[in-house]
Amino acid sequence: MSSQPKAPKTIILGNRPLRDYLLESIVSLNRESDVIEILGRGRHIYRAVNLYNMLSSRLGDRISIKNVEIGSMLIRNRRVSYIKITIQRI
Amino acid sequence: MSSQPKAPKTIILGNRPLRDYLLESIVSLNRESDVIEILGRGRHIYRAVNLYNMLSSRLGDRISIKNVEIGSMLIRNRRVSYIKITIQRI
C-alpha cells in the first residue's frame, strides 16, 4: 500500500436511500480516503446533514468535521443552494 | 449609543415566508447585532442555506460567514438535524 495522501472522495447526494450513501461513506473512510466530502444540493442539503449525523452516531470520535461550506452554484442556468461537508478520519 | 459588543441575535426559521426572515436578518445586522445566527432544524436546514444565499446576494462583502455548525438536537424526545450559520457584519 502507498503511504501518500489520498485525494478526498466526494459523495454527491441524489435520490437513492440515505443508507446507500452511508455505506459508501463508511467504505470510503475505511479503505480509500482519509477525507470525504458530502455534497448536497437543493433539497438534498437536509439529507447531507442527516447523513453526517448518521455517520457521527456510528463512527463517533473516529471522525471529525474539517469544514462546512455553504453557498450557491449554477446548474443549468439556475442558482442552486448547496452544502459541502468535509469529514476527516482521525 | 453604547459601544459594548452586542449579543448575537438568533433567528430560528419556522414556517413564515423566507422574505420575513430576510428582512429580520437585515434589520438585525443594521441596528442590533454585529453577529447573527441563523438556526434551521429538520426541513428548514435547506431554507437556512437559502436565506444565507439571499443575504449574501443582497449584502455582498459587507457580511461574511463566521462559522457553520451542523449536528443533531433532541426536541420532544426526537433527534432532529440542525444547521447553525453564524454571520458577521464586516
Side-chain angles (χ1 to χ4, degrees):
Chain A
M1 296 230 338
S2 158
S3 64
Q4 70 187 75
K6 304 158 201 166
K9 180 177 167 73
T10 302
I11 291 165
I12 302 175
L13 293 202
N15 291 318
R16 281 155 52 205
L18 218 45
R19 62 173 180 275
D20 289 13
Y21 302 105
L22 179 64
L23 188 64
E24 195 179 336
S25 303
I26 291 175
V27 169
S28 292
L29 283 169
N30 280 329
R31 290 197 196 153
E32 300 160 26
S33 312
D34 300 321
V35 174
I36 62 170
E37 296 173 339
I38 296 172
L39 180 66
R41 292 175 292 199
R43 297 271 157 205
H44 295 299
I45 290 174
Y46 171 47
R47 281 155 50 82
V49 178
N50 276 352
L51 177 57
Y52 161 71
N53 284 328
M54 289 165 79
L55 270 173
S56 174
S57 72
R58 277 159 185 81
L59 300 180
D61 51 14
R62 279 181 288 159
I63 58 165
S64 74
I65 293 180
K66 196 175 171 191
N67 190 43
V68 180
E69 179 186 321
I70 56 172
S72 67
M73 52 172 74
L74 277 178
I75 299 177
R76 292 187 210 93
N77 285 324
R78 287 189 56 200
R79 197 152 281 285
V80 177
S81 297
Y82 74 89
I83 191 170
K84 191 165 79 180
I85 306 168
T86 307
I87 295 171
Q88 63 186 349
R89 190 180 53 189
I90 296 173
Chain B
M1 296 227 341
S2 158
S3 64
Q4 68 187 78
K6 304 159 202 164
K9 180 177 168 73
T10 302
I11 291 165
I12 302 175
L13 293 202
N15 291 317
R16 281 155 51 205
L18 218 46
R19 62 173 179 275
D20 289 13
Y21 302 104
L22 179 65
L23 189 64
E24 195 180 335
S25 303
I26 291 175
V27 168
S28 292
L29 283 169
N30 279 330
R31 289 197 197 155
E32 300 159 25
S33 311
D34 299 321
V35 174
I36 61 170
E37 296 173 340
I38 297 172
L39 179 66
R41 292 175 293 200
R43 297 271 157 205
H44 295 298
I45 290 174
Y46 171 48
R47 281 156 49 82
V49 178
N50 276 351
L51 177 57
Y52 161 72
N53 284 328
M54 289 165 80
L55 268 173
S56 174
S57 72
R58 276 158 185 83
L59 300 180
D61 51 14
R62 279 181 288 159
I63 57 166
S64 75
I65 294 180
K66 196 176 172 191
N67 190 43
V68 180
E69 179 186 321
I70 56 173
S72 67
M73 52 172 74
L74 276 179
I75 298 177
R76 292 187 209 92
N77 285 325
R78 287 190 55 200
R79 197 153 281 286
V80 178
S81 297
Y82 74 89
I83 190 169
K84 191 165 79 180
I85 306 168
T86 307
I87 295 172
Q88 63 187 349
R89 190 180 52 189
I90 297 173

